[in-house]
Amino acid sequence: MNTVTRPRILVVGAGFAGVECVRRLERKLSPAEADVTLVTPFAYQLYLPLLPQVASGVLTPQSIALSLRRSRKYRTRIIPGGAIGVDLRSKVCVVRTITDKIVNEPYDYIVLAPGSVTRTFDIPGLTEHAFGMKTLAEAAYIRDHVISQLDLADASDDPAERAARLQFVVVGGGYAGTETAACLQRLTHAAVQRYPRLDPGLIKWHLIDIAPKLMPELGDKLGRSAQEILGRRGIEVSLGVSIAKAGAEEVTFTDGRVVPTHTLIWTAGVVASPLIATLGAETVRGRLAVTSEMCLPGHDGVFALGDSAAVPDLAKGDGAVCPPTAQHAMRQGKRVADNVIATLRGLPTRPYEHKDLGLVVDLGGKDAVSKPLGVELRGVPAQVVARGYHWSALRTNVAKTRVMTNWLLNAVAGDDFVRTGFQARKPARLKDFEFTDAYLTPEQVRARAEGRAVESP
């Protein structure tokens, strides 16, 4: 008996790009046309731009973890794990499940949206002692850690230890770093009022970046406005400076300063997922080189988008590629889904083109700087635009309700500054969360696809 199998569409990654792609495939494809599979370690989409507000306690972690199983029409099969290699010739994706089992997942069409990982450099002690701000677990852990430093400082009779625990260093003057420093400074400023033995003047926040300007994408005026807001709050901003080395109890800056601290938060940019290197295909600064239709040249049925793909920015031209932002990823996800469907049905694909709508930076409270459609805003108007944009971008009504409720509750009642302690006994530095050493080499991927034994990483 001949069995007719449906085409297999495999989507890798449940970020903005991957989820938008899957949702559109479900809406536009009939169940008989194709089987859709999603590879992700977690059955939720993380709304990354609001992570600093989770770290500062304004939002609960569940508020920005949008369930992938809430839709009643959901029919995508989820493989709980991470893709650690792709063999383009055999059309096989190698997946490490959350139980560390390694399986081969064959496909007919693959959509690569594995996102990005934190960009690090060869700085002594960095990965062993710095915290990241890329995952939900990291944000929750940082909140616990910051509050624990207040607790330990309050309990200590050693002036040097107390001063060290009340100094905090954030590296990265982009959106993530600036918002992280701003939101966590508000957390410590409010929390210290509950510690009568602590001198609020001992709390010092440092925001450093090797670039000459803070958030240069916002323009000189808004960048200076943001820096002035941080300065008024007591955050010391140092530009043209980075980290020379990091230790358990101190950090050395490249300008020679040594800052005694137990808290180093690293947010100095991102790079494409190491999965891209397993393909053996052409890259542009680490991102997979694709066409404007987000197809991989020379490989039928392979699409890539989001942070891991160098998608040409047709709106800007001159060889520009789309920046790794949620705004582009969401719209690319929809266009890739349309192009996958068009390929299935033998129709022409369409290029991706989108004009940037602007940028928003939430500094907490009434402070914000925004540039929607090129219009520069500061203060309350900018805050309304920033939170309005984030709120509208949340995919489900449940998430919108949770976020709005959290915002209102925090504005009215404040924070209780409670540590959960869930990860108190577990390591939680950069090297412990993103598992960048778990990926296979192209040769190992090929061996797995062919069923040959290979040593696991």
Side-chain angles (χ1 to χ4, degrees), residues 331-361:
R331 289 162 177 81
Q332 288 171 7
K334 295 177 180 178
R335 179 49 50 88
V336 158
D338 290 341
N339 285 345
V340 170
I341 294 170
T343 304
L344 270 172
R345 297 173 179 173
L347 302 174
T349 57
R350 296 172 58 196
Y352 170 76
E353 184 172 1
H354 169 68
K355 186 176 180 180
D356 205 310
L357 298 177
L359 305 165
V360 295
V361 181

Side-chain angles (χ1 to χ4, degrees), residues 229-409:
I229 291 170
L230 298 181
R232 286 198 300 269
R233 293 192 190 171
I235 300 175
E236 182 179 329
V237 179
S238 301
L239 300 175
V241 178
S242 189
I243 296 295
K245 62 179 179 179
E249 298 182 1
E250 67 178 27
V251 172
T252 304
F253 293 177
T254 52
D255 62 4
R257 282 180 291 166
V258 178
V259 177
T261 180
H262 295 258
T263 308
L264 171 61
I265 302 174
W266 180 267
T267 64
V270 296
V271 294
S273 166
L275 177 68
I276 299 304
T278 71
L279 275 66
E282 182 184 353
T283 59
V284 178
R285 295 183 179 180
R287 301 169 72 183
L288 193 62
V290 295
T291 67
S292 57
E293 291 81 11
M294 292 169 284
C295 302
L296 182 61
H299 297 277
D300 293 336
V302 180
F303 301 82
L305 68 163
D307 292 6
S308 288
V311 180
D313 192 342
L314 299 183
K316 292 183 178 178
D318 296 325
V321 298
C322 296
T325 63
Q327 184 180 147
H328 280 288
M330 292 170 69
R331 289 162 177 81
Q332 288 171 7
K334 295 177 180 178
R335 179 49 50 88
V336 158
D338 290 341
N339 285 345
V340 170
I341 294 170
T343 304
L344 270 172
R345 297 173 179 173
L347 302 174
T349 57
R350 296 172 58 196
Y352 170 76
E353 184 172 1
H354 169 68
K355 186 176 180 180
D356 205 310
L357 298 177
L359 305 165
V360 295
V361 181
D362 188 340
L363 300 176
K366 298 179 180 179
D367 294 324
V369 288
S370 300
K371 196 174 182 180
L373 302 174
V375 179
E376 296 187 350
L377 300 173
R378 300 167 181 79
V380 175
Q383 183 66 282
V384 171
V385 170
R387 294 204 170 181
Y389 174 79
H390 290 315
W391 186 82
S392 63
L394 292 167
R395 186 172 46 78
T396 68
N397 290 329
V398 171
K400 290 180 179 180
T401 302
R402 284 186 177 133
V403 166
M404 183 60 72
T405 301
N406 284 175
W407 279 338
L408 293 173
L409 187 60

Side-chain angles (χ1 to χ4, degrees), residues 41 79-82 95-103:
I79 299 178
V95 179
R96 184 190 294 276
T97 70
I98 57 175
T99 57
D100 280 337
K101 181 181 179 181
I102 296 180
V103 298

Side-chain angles (χ1 to χ4, degrees), residues 18-40:
V19 170
E20 288 295 330
C21 177
V22 167
R23 291 303 189 217
R24 200 168 183 91
L25 289 173
E26 289 181 328
R27 287 194 299 269
K28 291 197 167 187
L29 279 177
S30 69
E33 282 188 277
D35 292 326
V36 181
T37 301
L38 175 65
V39 177
T40 175

Side-chain angles (χ1 to χ4, degrees), residues 30 101 105 115 140 161 207 213 241 264 292 323 381 412 416 419 431 447:
S30 69
K101 181 181 179 181
E105 185 65 26
E161 179 189 0
L207 175 62
K213 296 180 181 179
V241 178
L264 171 61
S292 57
V412 173
D416 287 328
R419 286 187 289 121
K431 64 184 181 67

Side-chain angles (χ1 to χ4, degrees), residues 98-116:
I98 57 175
T99 57
D100 280 337
K101 181 181 179 181
I102 296 180
V103 298
N104 288 353
E105 185 65 26
Y107 64 84
D108 298 300
Y109 301 89
I110 189 169
V111 177
L112 297 169
S116 56

Side-chain angles (χ1 to χ4, degrees), residues 131 137 140-141 144-145 148 152 419-429 431-433:
F131 299 98
Y141 191 95
D144 271 14
H145 172 81
S148 74
L152 292 168
R419 286 187 289 121
T420 63
F422 290 151
Q423 300 179 19
R425 301 295 180 184
K426 296 181 180 180
R429 301 304 191 266
K431 64 184 181 67
D432 301 308
F433 278 103

